Amino acid sequence: MAEIMFERIALIGIGLIGSSIARDVRELGLARHVTISTRSEDTLKRAEELALGTDYTVSAAEAVKDADLVIVSVPVGASESVAQQIAPHLKPGAIVTDVGSTKASVIAQMAPHMPDNVHFIPGHPLAGTEKSGPDAGFAGLFRDRWCIFTPLPGTDAEALERLKDFWRALGSRVDEMDAEHHDKVLAIVSHLPHIIAYNIVGTADDLETVTESEVIKYSASGFRDFTRLAASDPTMWRDVCLHNKDAILEMLARFSEDLASLQRAIRWGEGDKLFELFSRTRAIRRSIVQAGQDVDAPDFGRHALDQKK
């Protein structure tokens, strides 16, 4: 068991990410007190049934009182509302962070409301599944996954290192970059794949020449893996699209250009071009495995990952 890193942690939001943090903190003994807050009384009750914290409240303002570390785990569109609620009640010297998939927007929403005597350090753990809610979380979600920080100018170095140590204790690798660069990188590695998946699944649903029963019946192929991404939380992904609009539109434009090139190659029977593209992209899969971001096992390593849970 690790040593206690924070006397009191407040988790604002207790979905997949928040509940996974709570489980790790509990199992590793990283805090004496964990206060959980969410707007839904039913969700809060479920978090208590799962024993994810030591205290529970629907009031974010109440939750952050005396907290040494505050982790905001809400859809990015709700960031400003949460910041406004908690700002007057934050303990001097507290570290406030988030887990949002877009950083420039979160900073714009939260930073103006943060008191000068707290340490606001935006963060983003690159981990998750298509499931949501307090039951979706599990210990070890962040193991060997990256957690990226986008600290503001003048951020206290000691507070940043303390937050990095916390995420390292959860098993994460840590890195830093500026918010705009983060948003552009995530637009291609996360946001665009989800948008494409939503679109492909929607296209299949709209096809009148293919009945629903045939789509489901024969989905043990590429379509099935798209549906996994397309099953992700719609509120979260609506907010991602609205709050990382510029970067996503830029990547969609690049994707559309490449798709048009692929379309031409197929139309004109340019086998060499197709083979070159498929060979190059196959190598990307190998490099992801070599980087430790997946395992080289059948079914995209899904069974191996399930066994780790």
Side-chain angles (χ1 to χ4, degrees):
M1 181 174 288
E3 63 181 20
I4 291 173
M5 303 187 73
F6 293 94
E7 185 70 20
R8 185 178 294 273
I9 294 176
L11 298 177
I12 312 301
I14 197 67
L16 167 67
I17 299 297
S19 64
S20 295
I21 294 171
R23 286 174 168 88
D24 277 339
V25 169
R26 180 183 64 193
E27 290 195 9
L28 297 171
L30 301 179
R32 295 188 195 278
H33 304 280
V34 177
T35 303
I36 291 171
S37 176
T38 183
R39 294 181 301 173
S40 166
E41 291 188 4
D42 289 341
T43 304
L44 191 68
K45 181 180 178 182
R46 183 56 183 155
E48 188 167 4
E49 289 171 352
L50 294 169
L52 296 179
T54 56
D55 304 281
Y56 306 86
T57 176
V58 292
S59 169
E62 183 69 28
V64 302
K65 290 180 179 177
D66 297 321
D68 304 292
L69 173 63
V70 176
I71 304 177
V72 178
S73 307
V74 300
V76 291
S79 299
E80 183 168 24
S81 174
V82 170
Q84 290 172 328
Q85 293 172 51
I86 68 176
H89 308 281
L90 292 167
K91 173 183 177 180
I95 296 173
V96 180
T97 189
D98 77 300
V99 301
S101 182
T102 70
K103 297 272 57 92
S105 171
V106 166
I107 290 169
Q109 291 181 71
M110 294 188 69
H113 303 287
M114 291 294 102
D116 293 336
N117 60 2
V118 305
H119 307 292
F120 173 51
I121 307 174
H124 178 207
L126 274 61
T129 71
E130 72 276 17
K131 298 179 181 178
S132 58
D135 287 278
F138 57 91
L141 173 63
F142 310 105
R143 194 177 301 132
D144 295 325
R145 296 290 176 256
W146 287 100
C147 186
I148 299 173
F149 300 99
T150 58
L152 302 175
T155 294
D156 182 81
E158 185 178 344
L160 177 58
E161 193 59 32
R162 195 176 177 199
L163 183 59
K164 286 181 177 181
D165 284 343
F166 173 78
W167 280 101
R168 289 187 185 109
L170 301 188
S172 292
R173 311 177 193 181
V174 300
D175 203 355
E176 288 182 46
M177 59 182 68
D178 66 69
E180 289 73 19
H181 183 68
H182 166 279
D183 289 355
K184 185 168 289 190
V185 170
L186 267 293
I188 189 62
V189 302
S190 176
H191 304 166
L192 188 60
H194 279 83
I195 290 169
I196 292 169
Y198 278 117
N199 201 62
I200 287 175
V201 174
T203 299
D205 187 53
D206 290 340
L207 276 175
E208 295 180 356
T209 56
V210 180
T211 67
E212 183 179 347
S213 61
E214 287 175 325
V215 170
I216 301 300
K217 181 178 179 179
Y218 300 117
S219 62
S221 58
F223 181 73
R224 177 202 60 190
D225 292 299
F226 276 114
T227 62
R228 186 181 65 81
L229 288 179
S232 300
D233 180 43
T235 300
M236 182 182 81
W237 283 100
R238 176 202 63 193
D239 284 5
V240 166
C241 288
L242 295 177
H243 290 270
N244 197 23
K245 179 172 65 175
D246 292 342
I248 289 174
L249 287 174
E250 179 183 341
M251 295 307 163
L252 274 172
R254 294 188 182 205
F255 174 76
S256 296
E257 292 171 3
D258 291 340
L259 190 61
S261 178
L262 176 60
Q263 187 177 7
R264 285 193 298 272
I266 295 172
R267 176 178 289 121
W268 297 108
E270 297 173 333
D272 289 346
K273 283 188 177 180
L274 294 173
F275 187 82
E276 180 187 356
L277 172 63
F278 299 154
S279 297
R280 181 161 52 90
T281 55
R282 188 183 188 191
I284 296 296
R285 170 65 186 171
R286 293 197 189 104
S287 66
I288 289 173
V289 172
Q290 289 169 1
Q293 295 306 293
D294 205 347
V295 294
D296 188 14
D299 209 12
F300 289 96
R302 189 173 302 147
H303 297 314
L305 292 172
D306 287 344
Q307 289 171 6
K308 288 183 180 181
K309 300 178 190 178

